Amino acid sequence: MSYFLCDEFQKMEPYIPGEQPKDQAYIKLNANESSLPPSPRVFDAVSQSRIRGMGHYADPHCKQLRKAIGDVYGVNADRVFVGNGADEVLGFCFMSFFSPRMKLCFPDITYDFYRTYAKTNRIDFEQIPLDADFHVNVEDYIATDRDIVLANPNNPTGLALSVSDIERIVAVRPKRLVIIDEAYIDYGNESCIPLTEKYANLIVVQTFSKSRNLAGARIGFAIASKEIIEDMNKIKFTFNPFNMSAFALAAGSAAVQDTTYLEKCVHSVLATRVRVQNALEKMNFFVAEPHANFLFVSHPYISGGKLCKMLKERGILVRHYDEARIRDYVRMTIGTDEEMDKVLQQLHEILQEVKACES
């Protein structure tokens, strides 16, 4: 560790992404990506002429992509901020609005990046425990005077709040900032974006990495009041004005406008999710109520860590969190039907093996 690293970062634990092993071919269900290809319009947008123009910087104002997003979600482009993935968008939110003097809160079981960003920005943060069934207790967030970050649906549990519950949180304290991270909102849930018309203290963040099948392109966006977006752009232009590549801007603009393809992909994932959930429950798995492109599961006969290890040995990657409250669970992204059939077969064999060892 470098002598020059700030003292408060010496023992900080960085965010750990889902592993990306290259030693063999894996069915990769550990990072909530997508096994589906992006919209066909993306292939047309990333053209030879665009490649030949890569010697020039892309538009730092990202006008085409911001307008395309605004058109789809019914807001003006000046209320849209875009970034190099939703993680960067969240990073700009933290840099723009939270200082070491400010107080922030989020659930104890949620996307790890919130804790990492809070520590990096030296923010006074509190992790509010989920209830025994892993639900967010809305009253906790209504009562607190801290600013708030919530993933909805939550990650890794997959559970979701209603828009009416979120509005209760946002409305009660107009001077308190609320950030809703909607990475998984398209999988059968209602977005809070319409609330940004009504509440100046709300930021809604989304990503192209899930339902639009563009994790590798790194595209995220925020929708909020014009004033909030102006503040975020001010910070962006002092930190990284050319944060979006020409490829990402073109691909994102094409993908967001293809709402028919989005619906087709979401429908496919939801149908597979239902089928896999039913199959898992027949194998005596507990499956948390799903609202995303993944399932959060546990089994009474095998620990989460052992299940993760045994699946990896069989060429399947899932995500295990070695944390006290969720140690018995794994998070499993929904892949293609073919991929999930292989997963179900391997799970059946693993359970047979475990039962044989116990008998």
Side-chain angles (χ1 to χ4, degrees), residues 304-318:
K306 184 175 181 180
L307 180 59
C308 183
K309 181 175 182 293
M310 294 181 76
L311 283 170
K312 183 177 180 180
E313 290 169 351
R314 290 160 170 78
I316 298 166
L317 299 178
V318 297

Side-chain angles (χ1 to χ4, degrees), residues 209-226:
S209 297
K210 317 302 179 185
S211 56
R212 291 189 172 89
N213 317 320
L214 281 170
R218 309 306 302 127
I219 305 168
F221 66 94
I223 292 179
S225 69
K226 178 182 176 182

Side-chain angles (χ1 to χ4, degrees), residues 98-341:
F98 302 138
S99 72
R101 299 183 304 277
M102 298 182 69
K103 296 182 178 182
L104 178 67
C105 66
F106 43 84
D108 63 332
I109 300 171
T110 193
Y111 187 34
D112 287 342
F113 241 129
Y114 307 152
R115 182 169 56 237
T116 302
Y117 276 147
K119 289 181 178 179
T120 303
N121 288 278
R122 303 174 176 89
I123 297 165
D124 177 358
F125 68 94
E126 176 186 359
Q127 295 176 263
I128 299 177
L130 300 177
D131 70 16
D133 295 323
F134 302 133
H135 291 90
V136 169
N137 186 338
V138 175
E139 300 303 324
D140 290 338
Y141 293 88
I142 290 175
T144 184
D145 61 353
R146 291 173 176 262
D147 294 312
I148 294 168
V149 179
L150 285 173
N152 193 52
N154 198 12
N155 175 20
T157 65
L159 300 175
L161 292 173
S162 66
V163 170
S164 60
D165 277 339
I166 290 174
E167 183 168 15
R168 291 173 62 208
I169 295 169
V170 175
V172 71
R173 297 178 187 268
K175 298 298 184 183
R176 177 184 62 185
L177 189 64
V178 179
I179 301 172
I180 303 297
D181 181 356
E182 294 188 339
Y184 305 98
I185 201 68
D186 289 329
Y187 297 103
N189 309 284
E190 185 181 358
S191 173
C192 290
I193 286 175
L195 294 182
T196 62
E197 294 275 3
K198 186 176 179 180
Y199 298 100
N201 61 326
L202 175 63
I203 303 174
V204 178
V205 177
Q206 290 196 18
T207 180
F208 282 49
S209 297
K210 317 302 179 185
S211 56
R212 291 189 172 89
N213 317 320
L214 281 170
R218 309 306 302 127
I219 305 168
F221 66 94
I223 292 179
S225 69
K226 178 182 176 182
E227 291 73 23
I228 279 179
I229 299 304
E230 286 176 347
D231 290 340
M232 292 178 67
N233 275 315
K234 185 184 301 181
I235 299 302
K236 168 189 162 176
F237 275 82
T238 62
F239 179 70
N240 185 15
F242 296 102
N243 67 323
M244 299 288 288
S245 73
F247 280 152
L249 292 175
S253 299
V256 75
Q257 294 175 81
D258 196 349
T259 56
T260 300
Y261 186 74
L262 169 68
E263 292 171 2
K264 176 183 176 182
C265 291
V266 167
H267 177 78
S268 174
V269 171
L270 293 181
T272 303
R273 189 184 74 187
V274 169
R275 183 174 68 84
V276 173
Q277 178 181 357
N278 290 338
L280 290 174
E281 290 174 343
K282 288 179 180 178
M283 285 189 269
N284 205 27
F285 278 91
F286 168 79
V287 183
E289 181 182 350
H291 291 269
N293 69 333
F294 60 84
L295 297 173
F296 191 58
V297 308
S298 66
H299 197 281
Y301 297 154
I302 185 169
S303 70
K306 184 175 181 180
L307 180 59
C308 183
K309 181 175 182 293
M310 294 181 76
L311 283 170
K312 183 177 180 180
E313 290 169 351
R314 290 160 170 78
I316 298 166
L317 299 178
V318 297
R319 190 73 185 264
H320 176 247
Y321 296 85
D322 192 19
E323 300 176 19
R325 294 186 66 192
I326 56 174
R327 194 163 286 144
D328 290 334
Y329 290 78
V330 298
R331 190 195 70 191
M332 179 189 308
T333 309
I334 297 299
T336 64
D337 280 318
E338 181 181 10
E339 288 174 332
M340 300 315 295
D341 285 342

